[in-house]
Amino acid sequence: MVRDRLLSAFPQLEQDDIKSTSMGAQGEDVQLSPAARKIMPIAVETKARRGIAVGRWYEQAEEHAIAVKAAVEPVVVMKEDRKDPLVLISLNFFVDLLVDRYDHYKDWLAQEQEISKLARKEKK
């Protein structure tokens, strides 16, 4: 689900640029190639459960978003004692943010890729 959504958002990436791992495997649950990591500097851990408390919190945030009667996204900010606050947003909103970030930086990324190509040529 996460892999497919990311690949659909970034058609310039190849299928092998984003891989899902099997349940119980060590490391990230969604592995990114160096090219994908430049676009999305993230590490993804996925969890699937029948029910979790944050699901109810998110539903409450959705209700608040509807009540605002404007185009707003539900966001949950949660904090455990002695831990940094975390933010919960929908996968679609998150991917939209990644796409916006990429659109903002794509010219810079293209320049970086060109510099890397030239450096590899010079080594040969």
Side-chain angles (χ1 to χ4, degrees):
M1 166 184 65
V2 175
R3 175 188 176 270
D4 294 340
R5 179 65 180 95
L6 292 173
L7 283 171
S8 70
F10 297 100
Q12 67 273 34
L13 295 175
E14 302 290 329
Q15 294 286 321
D16 286 345
D17 284 322
I18 304 174
K19 297 179 182 178
S20 293
T21 62
S22 60
M23 191 170 68
Q26 293 292 331
E28 297 175 80
D29 291 338
V30 178
Q31 296 177 342
L32 304 177
S33 70
R37 183 92 56 204
K38 280 190 174 187
I39 293 172
M40 301 172 282
I42 59 174
V44 179
E45 176 71 23
T46 61
K47 299 292 183 196
R49 302 274 191 269
R50 181 174 297 156
I52 52 177
V54 295
R56 290 186 294 282
W57 300 344
Y58 189 78
E59 287 171 1
Q60 187 177 11
E62 286 178 312
E63 291 170 9
H64 297 317
I66 291 167
V68 170
K69 297 183 181 173
V72 298
E73 291 292 329
V75 174
V76 174
V77 178
M78 54 198 144
K79 184 178 181 320
E80 188 177 349
D81 287 348
R82 298 185 180 96
K83 303 277 183 166
D84 288 336
L86 302 174
V87 175
L88 172 69
I89 57 176
S90 72
L91 176 61
N92 286 333
F93 184 52
F94 177 68
V95 172
D96 290 345
L97 291 173
L98 288 174
V99 169
D100 288 347
R101 180 189 178 280
Y102 172 73
D103 287 344
H104 182 74
Y105 288 106
K106 67 182 169 188
D107 293 336
W108 175 81
L109 286 170
Q111 289 174 342
E112 287 290 308
Q113 290 170 337
E114 191 59 34
I115 290 168
S116 294
K117 285 179 190 176
L118 290 173
R120 283 193 297 272
K121 279 185 179 179
E122 288 177 6
K123 283 184 178 180
K124 290 181 180 179

